[in-house]
Amino acid sequence: SQTATPLGIGDSFSIKKITNTLNMPSGIFPVSITVDNETGDVYYTSNDPSNLYFIEKYHPGDSMPSVITAGNRDTILGLRFNAKDRMLYAVQLASDVVKKHSLIRISPAGSITQLASIGAAINIKFFSACIDPCNDRYIFSVMKDSASGIVNQYYLNGSLVQKDSTSGIFLGLEMPQ
C-alpha cells in the first residue's frame, strides 16, 4: 500500500495493489481501462513486446486477471464499458495501412464485432473516449493538428452521428453513468 497526495490538494489517499497483470512487462501501463460498476470487474488493454494486444479482466477477489481476448499487432484504445447492454466498446487501430481503424464491440466473453470503419488519422497520445448512456453513443476525440481536434460520435450500432471540428484539443471526455 502507498500513500499519495494530489498536487495542490491537502487530502491524501492510499493506493493498494490488487493484482498483477498477465501480459504487461514491468513499467508498461494499460493503454485503456474501464470498470463495470455493478460487478466491480476491471477491464484493461495492454500490448506486449511481440506486438500482441490483450484485453484482460480482473474480478475483485480473484488472485489473477484473465485474458478475455487477444490479437496480433493492433492497438485497442478508448475501452469503455456500457452498463445498458453490458458490452465493451473501443477503437481498434489498424496495424498496417491497408486496414482501416474500427469502432468495435467486445463481449465480456471476448468476441469482437466490428461496428464501423473509421477513416480518420488517430494520434494515440491525444485520444479520449466515453460512452453516452442516455443517447447510446460512443464518443471519442482526436488531435487534428497542433491547435484543433475532432470529436466523433457514433451510435452503438456503428452508424456515425456526427464529427465536429474543435478549436483546441479535448481530453478526458466523461459522461455521468
Side-chain angles (χ1 to χ4, degrees):
S1 181
Q2 301 171 333
T3 301
T5 304
L7 293 176
I9 300 174
D11 295 334
S12 63
F13 58 92
S14 63
I15 300 169
K16 181 182 176 190
K17 180 179 175 178
I18 56 174
T19 189
N20 291 318
T21 61
L22 295 174
N23 296 292
M24 277 187 278
S26 179
I28 303 296
F29 299 97
V31 174
S32 195
I33 190 166
T34 190
V35 175
D36 174 348
N37 288 326
E38 186 176 305
T39 64
D41 291 343
V42 178
Y43 298 90
Y44 56 91
T45 64
S46 63
N47 289 76
D48 76 2
S50 67
N51 286 327
L52 293 174
Y53 75 82
F54 301 90
I55 299 176
E56 297 182 18
K57 171 184 161 184
Y58 171 75
H59 181 76
D62 289 354
S63 60
M64 290 296 290
S66 59
V67 173
I68 65 166
T69 192
N72 199 12
R73 299 179 49 101
D74 296 339
T75 299
I76 305 294
L77 293 177
L79 186 68
R80 296 294 177 262
F81 182 81
N82 182 22
K84 275 181 143 179
D85 65 5
R86 316 223 29 92
M87 296 291 223
L88 298 158
Y89 292 83
V91 170
Q92 184 173 24
L93 293 184
S95 57
D96 59 55
V97 293
V98 177
K99 289 172 52 180
K100 295 217 181 246
H101 306 315
S102 301
L103 174 63
I104 59 173
R105 178 177 53 230
I106 307 131
S107 75
S111 65
I112 295 177
T113 303
Q114 180 182 354
L115 300 174
S117 288
I118 301 168
I122 294 177
N123 182 333
I124 64 171
K125 292 182 181 178
F126 297 97
F127 182 92
S128 186
C130 68
I131 293 275
D132 174 356
C134 295
N135 296 301
D136 292 327
R137 295 180 182 180
Y138 180 87
I139 304 169
F140 69 96
S141 66
V142 295
M143 183 171 96
K144 182 178 177 183
D145 55 45
S146 63
S148 65
I150 299 174
V151 176
N152 302 270
Q153 296 185 49
Y154 284 85
Y155 286 116
L156 297 181
N157 66 9
S159 60
L160 177 66
V161 177
Q162 65 188 38
K163 290 185 179 194
D164 298 308
S165 293
T166 63
S167 58
I169 302 163
F170 292 88
L171 297 175
L173 293 176
E174 191 59 49
M175 289 279 181
Q177 297 296 311

